[in-house]
Amino acid sequence: MKFNSLMHVNIVADDWDAMVDFYENKLGLKKKVEVKYKEYLNRPDRPEQQKIAQTDPERIMYAYFEIVPGQFIEMFPNTDLPHDVEWYKRTGLNHFSLTVDDLHKTFDEFKKTGIKIISEPSKGPSETWQFWAADPDGNRFEVQQFTEKSYQKIGHIDE
């Protein structure tokens, strides 16, 4: 089995406006997709979404924020999500990681824009530079910069 890339991670947002502002205006990601429930007006195979489409067609169902071409953060507003599919019911995201070319420059940019920083830049045991930050809902994410010795680049299995 071979995968090409990670397509998206999903976040359920408690404060939609604050989260959209964060991902668009602070991290600088482009909102590439926004789907409203009206997309489900003619979808009898999705009855819970269709019911919302009939009563609140302009309600946002989800959005995709593009990190790089083909890789996204998918976000759902936490407004009475339908529970007709199992993944709407579960908690799961621990964190995600973004790679950059200049970690220290990115760290300074985060400080200037008021992004909540959780840790100072440091090099982990994997020889990769990293620091931690959080979005307005408290979802933690890592920012990393590979080095020539990064385990993620050269491989490493402890024996």
Side-chain angles (χ1 to χ4, degrees), residues 5-19:
S5 70
L6 177 67
M7 192 270 217
H8 74 262
V9 294
N10 174 272
I11 297 172
V12 176
D14 280 331
D15 185 337
W16 180 259
D17 293 335
M19 293 288 277

Side-chain angles (χ1 to χ4, degrees), residues 2 11 17 26 54 72 85 87 96 101-102 109 117 119 121 126-127 136 150:
K2 178 184 175 288
I11 297 172
D17 293 335
K26 291 206 166 99
Q54 291 164 351
F72 305 90
V85 287
W87 59 84
F96 60 91
D101 292 328
D102 187 334
E109 290 171 353
I117 296 171
S119 70
S126 67
E127 294 294 323
S150 290

